[in-house]
């Protein structure tokens, strides 16, 4: 409240009004979280929702390679040559055969310095955990019932003057990779000054926690008063259902270290500042977490709509008009 200027809100608005709004907002935010948390679903509920909305959750792996052509460029392939190469790659119905043919083709092209450069190019052809994309011809093909690993798809992209050859490496299915729950306390240089001072402050908060009972509850309590992450501080610094690659690199690498176990703690530096970490544990397979989130959103939206229909918001348009006139 000390940093708030009532003049930013218009004539007649007092600190007490702003404080009341902040209180109402905080209570509403807390209540909305309680509504979501109270929506519980069984494994059968998750399975049924997944099967009815597979394109929203299933992921698949594929390789793709482009053969570009241009009639007016002597350095590029002709359209007929590009098609001939594409047909040969299209005939490779195993990933090993696909990569072997591509290796030979790239080697013969003379454009790559060594084996490492060729391997890098082949590795870049692999796309993992792809999601369904509506109106994308390959994606639509990939999600066709009965699709099998090793099947290939040839796209004649006349708009971009190229043939693209795809191969299914993994068919659309549930993402069974594990998600995790983690708590953190964020301290930033904006508050503490230099990088060294911010690290020292983070170490001090970490030492304060270690000097106590060193429990998850005490960590959560400290996060509520110390963390600068507005998205998690009020919830004790908790992030649930975090999947690999979701967070910035150093944060992600700490969370998904293969040796990580419940109760692990530490300090991690990111572009946001210094994070004091507490590893809560494995949260379960990603597809379940995603489906649960979707079900909770649907359930919450229904409850919200019912409340909205029952409890109307009354606006004092006269006062709003006066504030707008003064601000202009």
């Amino acid at each position: 409240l000390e940093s708030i200027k009532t003049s930013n809100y218009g004539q007649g608005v007092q600190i007490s009004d702003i404080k009341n709004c902040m209180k109402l907002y905080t209570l509403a935010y807390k209540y909305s979280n309680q509504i979501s948390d109270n929506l519980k679903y069984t494994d059968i509920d998750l399975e049924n929702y997944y099967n009815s909305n597979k394109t929203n959750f299933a992921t698949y792996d594929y390789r793709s390679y482009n053969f570009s052509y241009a009639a007016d460029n002597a350095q590029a392939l002709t359209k007929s040559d590009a098609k001939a190469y594409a047909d040969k790659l299209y005939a490779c119905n195993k990933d090993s055969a696909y990569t072997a043919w591509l290796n030979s083709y790239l080697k013969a092209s003379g454009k790559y310095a060594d084996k490492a450069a060729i391997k890098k190019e082949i590795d870049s052809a692999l796309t993992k955990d792809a999601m369904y994309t509506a109106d994308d011809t390959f994606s639509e093909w990939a999600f066709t019932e009965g699709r099998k690993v090793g099947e290939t798809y040839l796209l004649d992209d006349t708009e971009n003057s190229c043939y693209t050859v795809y191969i299914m490496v993994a068919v659309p299915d549930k993402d069974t990779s594990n998600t995790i729950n983690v708590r953190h306390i964020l301290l930033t240089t904006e508050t503490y000054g230099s990088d060294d001072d911010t690290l020292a402050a983070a170490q001090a908060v970490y030492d304060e926690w270690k000097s106590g009972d060193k429990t998850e509850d005490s960590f959560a309590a400290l996060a509520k008063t110390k963390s600068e992450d507005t998205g998690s501080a009020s919830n004790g610094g908790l992030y649930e259902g975090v999947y690999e690659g979701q967070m910035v690199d150093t944060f992600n690498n700490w969370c998904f270290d293969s040796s990580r176990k419940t109760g692990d703690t530490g300090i991690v530096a990111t572009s946001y500042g210094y994070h004091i970490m507490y590893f809560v544990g494995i949260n379960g397979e990603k597809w379940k977490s995603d489906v649960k989130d979707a079900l909770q959103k649907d359930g919450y939206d229904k409850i919200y709509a019912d409340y909205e229909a029952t409890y109307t918001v009354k606006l004092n348009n006269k006062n709003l008009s006066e504030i707008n006139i003064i601000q202009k």
Side-chain angles (χ1 to χ4, degrees), residues 67-325:
F67 296 94
S68 298
Y69 55 85
D72 58 349
N73 188 340
Q75 301 300 316
L77 296 171
T78 64
K79 184 173 183 178
S80 59
D81 284 344
K83 180 63 164 60
Y85 286 129
D87 286 340
K88 290 178 181 178
L89 188 55
Y90 174 76
C92 299
N93 296 130
K94 287 185 178 180
D95 188 43
S96 57
Y98 185 103
T99 55
W101 187 93
L102 197 53
N103 181 75
S104 298
Y105 171 78
L106 295 174
K107 184 178 180 180
S109 72
K111 297 179 180 179
Y112 298 88
D114 50 32
K115 292 181 179 179
I118 293 175
K119 182 179 183 303
K120 183 178 179 181
E121 179 70 7
I122 293 174
D123 289 344
S124 70
L126 177 63
T127 299
K128 296 182 67 66
D129 298 325
M131 299 287 292
Y132 172 81
T133 303
D135 300 323
D136 178 87
T137 54
F138 169 67
S139 186
E140 299 281 2
W141 176 87
F143 270 84
T144 302
E145 194 67 32
R147 192 60 60 215
K148 295 181 177 62
V149 169
E151 288 187 298
T152 51
Y153 180 81
L154 176 59
L155 175 66
D156 181 1
D157 186 353
T158 55
E159 183 178 346
N160 294 300
S161 301
C162 72
Y163 292 99
T164 303
V165 182
Y166 300 85
I167 185 169
M168 296 298 296
V169 178
V171 296
D173 203 353
K174 298 181 179 75
D175 186 342
T176 58
S177 60
N178 278 325
T179 61
I180 58 96
N181 295 341
V182 64
R183 293 186 187 272
H184 81 129
I185 300 170
L186 172 64
L187 303 184
T188 70
T189 54
E190 291 181 4
T191 299
Y192 294 93
S194 69
D195 186 82
D196 288 343
D197 287 342
T198 308
L199 176 57
Q203 187 63 55
V205 173
Y206 189 28
D207 291 341
E208 179 182 346
W209 175 76
K210 289 193 292 185
S211 67
D213 59 13
K214 295 188 287 188
T215 64
E216 182 183 348
D217 287 342
S218 63
F219 189 96
L222 204 56
K224 289 181 179 180
T225 59
K226 300 289 187 180
S227 182
E228 297 180 62
D229 178 16
T230 56
S232 69
S234 63
N235 199 28
L238 180 64
Y239 279 107
E240 296 183 290
V242 177
Y243 56 87
E244 189 161 9
Q246 178 180 352
M247 300 298 192
V248 292
D249 285 348
T250 48
F251 193 109
N252 175 84
N253 294 342
W254 188 90
C255 290
F256 288 94
D257 187 302
S258 59
S259 65
R260 192 64 58 225
K261 59 185 183 297
T262 297
D264 281 355
T265 57
I267 296 178
V268 172
T270 73
S271 57
Y272 294 99
Y274 284 93
H275 307 254
I276 307 158
M277 310 289 290
Y278 186 100
F279 188 76
V280 179
I282 301 297
N283 187 56
E285 296 177 351
K286 186 177 184 297
W287 77 270
K288 288 187 176 182
S289 178
D290 290 343
V291 171
K292 179 185 174 184
D293 287 346
L295 278 168
Q296 283 187 327
K297 182 181 184 304
D298 288 351
Y300 180 90
D301 287 347
K302 183 181 183 304
I303 292 171
Y304 188 95
D306 290 343
Y307 282 154
E308 197 170 34
T310 305
Y311 305 102
T312 57
V313 176
K314 296 179 181 179
L315 298 178
N316 189 323
N317 290 312
K318 180 176 180 295
N319 283 357
L320 288 173
S321 297
E322 290 177 356
I323 290 172
N324 288 334
I325 291 170

